[in-house]
Amino acid sequence: MSVRLISADEYVDLPRQELAWIVHGLIPRPGFTLLVGQAKEGKSFLMWQIACAIARGEPVLGRPSVASRVL
């Protein structure tokens, strides 16, 4: 097995399987999304807003979402 380093541009151009999205371009289904930031910068509040929008099928940060159950 050989390993070849590729540039970021080459990585972006690699073929990928088509994804289904809960929030188009942000939260895939199935998949994982990681929200990170400094303490007390509003991550929990942002996630609450995103969860409420997804539960109602409303746009998230201007992107369409699919109404889904949230935990």
Side-chain angles (χ1 to χ4, degrees), residues 23-56:
V23 178
H24 186 73
L26 291 177
I27 303 175
R29 175 186 283 163
F32 296 95
T33 301
L34 184 62
L35 179 62
V36 296
Q38 297 293 323
K40 302 296 179 188
E41 289 198 349
K43 295 179 299 295
S44 296
F45 183 72
L46 175 61
M47 209 59 245
W48 177 257
Q49 294 281 339
I50 291 171
C52 289
I54 290 170
R56 294 188 292 256

Side-chain angles (χ1 to χ4, degrees), residues 4-14 16:
R4 182 176 80 85
L5 295 177
I6 61 173
S7 69
D9 290 329
E10 290 173 306
Y11 178 76
V12 168
D13 291 335
L14 288 174
R16 290 174 173 48

